[in-house]
Amino acid sequence: MSSTILVTGGTGFIGSHTTVALQQAGYRVLILDNLCNSSMAVLDSIAAITGTRPEFMLGDVCDAESLHTVFKRNDIVAVLHFAGLKAVGESTRIPLAYYDNNVHGSVQLLAAMQRAQVRCFVFSSSATVYGDPQKLPLTEDHPRSATNPYGHTKLVVEDIMANLHASEDGWRMARLRYFNPVGAHPSGLIGEAPQGTPNNLMPYVAQVATGHRPSLQVYGNDYNTPDGTGVRDYIHVMDLAAGHVAALRHCLDAKQALLTVNLGTGKGYSVLEMVRAFEAASGRPVPYDIVARRPGDIAACWADTELAHQTLGWRATKEIDEMCADAWRWETQRAQRK
Ligand code: WQD
């Protein structure tokens, strides 16, 4: 058995791009995924990009038996945990599904790791744990809060990791707080594939540009920001993937670690700036209407990136024009394949 990185949710948006980055860095990957929001076809695309098809096991992180089998049959040295539900609005309608998948699933996974004596764990947290920012840029010591069940599941898992780390020697863990991941692999072979109406800005913008949807609704232009629309720290998913490889290396090299770092660019762009960048990248118009604010939204949010640079030697490198160009390539190639 050769040493393997277990990637839960590896066929999803961020998991698939990170699998590509891991394989290109020379790691052997085993994906565990229940395919609730993705498909097996992603494995072919990863193989086309990297020349290697990752190992795959259909299974759920809530299922202790599947997890036990995974750890028994493979020489797993570390786990990157992406599998989870991620729609804020949905989390207020079906909170128990969110606590079950995101919290119970993480507990089952950590318990299986403990049993197998695998103590290297990289977790997908979110900038949502900062709540409404008290000051910008957001540093990792900013107070945490949650205004919806999704955000609360991220807070709880961060705390579970800290408790576990304090209870037993040898855990090397990273809590990676993502800002707003966008873009796609430059090949156009993998990207974000939301089911139904996209909740997030950039997949929606992409579908307006293709003509699949008539116009974008901009949620408010009366925020205290330069043009009145919401400002976010958009990060290219390939930069985010590289951040995971750096965090994994850090954990594998450490004897003991509980790292908490922002993965963002440090720069904020407004909704209208992103719309214009997408129009430029695609050559297509993106008509929009200004509508009421979306409940729960904050005005502005961007990362302090110094800690990630100091501890991981990692920085995001890609600008919004590249994020939009790569998202557009994915969207148009995907439309042709359908
Ligand atoms: C970005 C900006 C909207 C859609 C959410 C979650 C967060 C994380 C990522 C993870 C805001 C505006 C959006 C639209 C719009 N979750 N907007 N019209 O809200 O920063 O973060 O997703 O997996 O936890 O809270 O991202 O892309 O939804 O919105 O005007 O149709 O675009 O108001 O200013 P957000 P987003």
Side-chain angles (χ1 to χ4, degrees):
M1 285 198 291
S2 53
S3 49
T4 299
I5 310 298
L6 176 64
V7 178
T8 75
T11 58
F13 176 41
I14 303 168
S16 60
H17 290 79
T18 303
T19 296
V20 165
L22 287 168
Q23 293 195 158
Q24 288 178 336
Y27 292 101
R28 182 171 183 271
V29 174
L30 166 63
I31 291 175
L32 176 74
D33 203 305
N34 67 5
L35 300 178
C36 75
N37 192 28
S38 59
S39 92
M40 292 280 283
V42 171
L43 301 174
D44 299 329
S45 302
I46 295 172
I49 295 167
T50 65
T52 308
R53 196 181 165 89
E55 297 281 308
F56 178 80
M57 180 170 159
L58 182 65
D60 197 301
V61 287
C62 291
D63 176 11
E65 268 315 301
S66 299
L67 290 173
H68 184 55
T69 309
V70 167
F71 284 97
K72 208 167 64 184
R73 292 202 188 140
N74 300 278
D75 177 21
I76 292 169
V77 293
V79 178
L80 271 62
H81 181 34
F82 297 95
L85 301 177
K86 62 170 185 180
V88 173
E90 183 185 65
S91 80
T92 63
R93 292 190 295 277
I94 50 167
L96 294 181
Y98 274 70
Y99 286 104
D100 191 36
N101 274 279
N102 295 7
V103 179
H104 176 231
S106 298
V107 170
Q108 292 296 329
L109 181 58
L110 288 164
M113 289 178 68
Q114 189 174 48
R115 184 170 168 185
Q117 301 202 5
V118 178
R119 297 201 186 89
C120 191
F121 184 70
V122 177
F123 175 62
S124 304
S125 189
S126 167
T128 196
V129 300
Y130 295 120
D132 199 347
Q134 294 168 12
K135 74 173 184 39
L136 292 168
L138 283 157
T139 49
E140 287 81 353
D141 59 1
H142 184 281
R144 299 178 316 156
S145 65
T147 52
N148 56 69
Y150 164 75
H152 198 227
T153 66
K154 295 292 175 190
L155 276 182
V156 172
V157 176
E158 283 199 352
D159 290 343
I160 290 170
M161 290 169 67
N163 295 157
L164 189 56
H165 182 265
S167 73
E168 196 178 25
D169 283 344
W171 283 96
R172 295 105 79 204
M173 312 213 249
R175 308 188 286 195
L176 304 182
R177 293 179 177 159
Y178 309 162
F179 281 69
N180 289 58
V182 298
H185 190 269
S187 64
L189 291 172
I190 54 173
E192 190 169 10
Q195 287 174 2
T197 309
N199 298 307
N200 296 115
L201 176 67
M202 294 314 282
Y204 203 104
V205 166
Q207 292 188 11
V208 174
T210 57
H212 191 67
R213 298 186 187 275
S215 67
L216 170 73
Q217 296 195 321
V218 175
Y219 298 139
N221 66 349
D222 56 353
Y223 284 105
N224 184 18
T225 60
D227 66 17
T229 64
V231 168
R232 297 290 184 274
D233 184 337
Y234 296 94
I235 176 169
H236 195 295
V237 64
M238 288 312 296
D239 275 334
L240 198 63
H244 285 76
V245 175
L248 173 66
R249 285 201 177 110
H250 176 92
C251 288
L252 287 172
D253 288 347
K255 285 203 164 55
Q256 184 105 359
L258 179 63
L259 184 69
T260 309
V261 289
N262 290 335
L263 295 184
T265 66
K267 280 181 276 189
Y269 290 96
S270 74
V271 175
L272 295 182
E273 284 175 315
M274 295 309 285
V275 166
R276 281 193 289 271
F278 207 92
E279 287 182 325
S282 64
R284 299 283 182 90
V286 177
Y288 64 85
D289 302 300
I290 307 287
V291 301
R293 290 182 180 193
R294 183 171 63 179
D297 269 358
I298 55 174
C301 160
W302 63 88
D304 187 300
T305 60
E306 279 317 302
L307 189 65
H309 187 239
Q310 279 166 25
T311 54
L312 302 177
W314 169 91
R315 268 195 209 287
T317 60
K318 295 174 187 289
E319 285 292 332
I320 57 168
D321 51 350
E322 199 171 345
M323 302 179 204
C324 293
D326 289 340
W328 178 242
R329 190 175 305 106
W330 156 247
E331 200 64 38
T332 47
Q333 291 192 15
R334 183 162 90 104
Q336 283 161 14
R337 281 194 292 269
K338 271 183 193 160

